[in-house]
Amino acid sequence: MKNNIFLDKNTSDKTTRNLPSHTLSLFLSLSLFWWINSNYSNALLLSLGAASILLVLYIAHRMDVIDHESQPIHLSVNMPNYVIWLTKEVIISNISVVKHVWLGNSSISPTLATIDISQRTDLGKVIYANSITLTPGTVTVDIVGDRMTIHALIKDNIDTLKTGEMDRRVTEMESRC
């Protein structure tokens, strides 16, 4: 019983140490999201919006779900460059998929392959897997340890992933934190 109390004290100290910046980030994100969706500026509606945001923050704090994983503010600085690069890749892949669909079945070569990944954190692995899935013609099927199973509509997509450009960019974004 004493060990559990000791663990709870250490956990709560660690949580409260990281809490202010993550709570502030969540507050700002929720405020911006609420304002964009409502676009109200009279005092009553602004106060009701603030009250609802504070209620959500209170509930999230009581549930102990505000942490570095639920609010990855450390990625905020590096994310815009990656999103721009990923958008370019999505457009290029879209054009490629459309071209192969127009050319017919003979140009499509479905492939299932396993590739190595270099991300250290679960968040980095999820970003990489979702980036692959967002790119048309490829889907991340499974992640086991440091290997990912990918299904691609065209074998060239697997070869492109094996060059490691996307893996390198995600790892750089992850390591700058």
Side-chain angles (χ1 to χ4, degrees):
M1 181 69 170
K2 288 182 182 179
N3 288 341
N4 289 341
I5 293 171
F6 180 71
L7 288 174
D8 289 342
K9 282 186 178 181
N10 285 345
T11 305
S12 66
D13 289 343
K14 185 178 177 184
T15 303
T16 55
R17 189 173 42 218
N18 291 330
L19 190 62
S21 64
H22 295 293
T23 303
L24 179 63
S25 171
L26 181 60
F27 175 77
L28 292 174
S29 300
L30 289 173
S31 298
L32 182 65
F33 182 74
W34 182 86
W35 186 75
I36 287 172
N37 283 315
S38 68
N39 202 16
Y40 289 121
S41 58
N42 70 23
L44 175 65
L45 292 175
L46 286 175
S47 62
L48 289 173
S52 66
I53 290 168
L54 290 173
L55 177 65
V56 167
L57 287 175
Y58 174 74
I59 292 169
H61 177 68
R62 293 281 296 159
M63 292 175 60
D64 196 28
V65 295
I66 302 175
D67 59 7
H68 70 281
E69 289 180 352
S70 64
Q71 278 299 109
I73 57 178
H74 57 281
L75 294 178
S76 301
V77 176
N78 304 321
M79 192 60 81
N81 290 334
Y82 182 73
V83 168
I84 290 169
W85 178 82
L86 184 62
T87 302
K88 178 189 73 128
E89 293 299 313
V90 167
I91 291 168
I92 291 169
S93 293
N94 251 327
I95 293 168
S96 173
V97 167
V98 167
K99 181 183 87 173
H100 286 284
V101 168
W102 281 346
L103 291 174
N105 287 342
S106 62
S107 68
I108 297 173
S109 54
T111 307
L112 191 65
T114 304
I115 61 171
D116 294 323
I117 58 176
S118 61
Q119 286 70 40
R120 297 182 322 264
T121 64
D122 289 340
L123 181 61
K125 291 175 184 180
V126 167
I127 290 172
Y128 187 36
N130 286 337
S131 297
I132 290 171
T133 302
L134 278 173
T135 309
T138 55
V139 176
T140 304
V141 177
D142 193 20
I143 303 173
V144 178
D146 292 337
R147 298 183 60 81
M148 212 178 272
T149 305
I150 311 294
H151 179 271
L153 190 61
I154 304 151
K155 186 180 179 321
D156 292 343
N157 292 349
I158 295 290
D159 297 336
T160 303
L161 285 172
K162 286 184 178 179
T163 63
E165 177 67 17
M166 187 181 289
D167 182 60
R168 181 186 63 78
R169 287 181 180 266
V170 173
T171 302
E172 281 178 7
M173 183 175 54
E174 175 188 44
S175 66
R176 287 184 190 162
C177 306

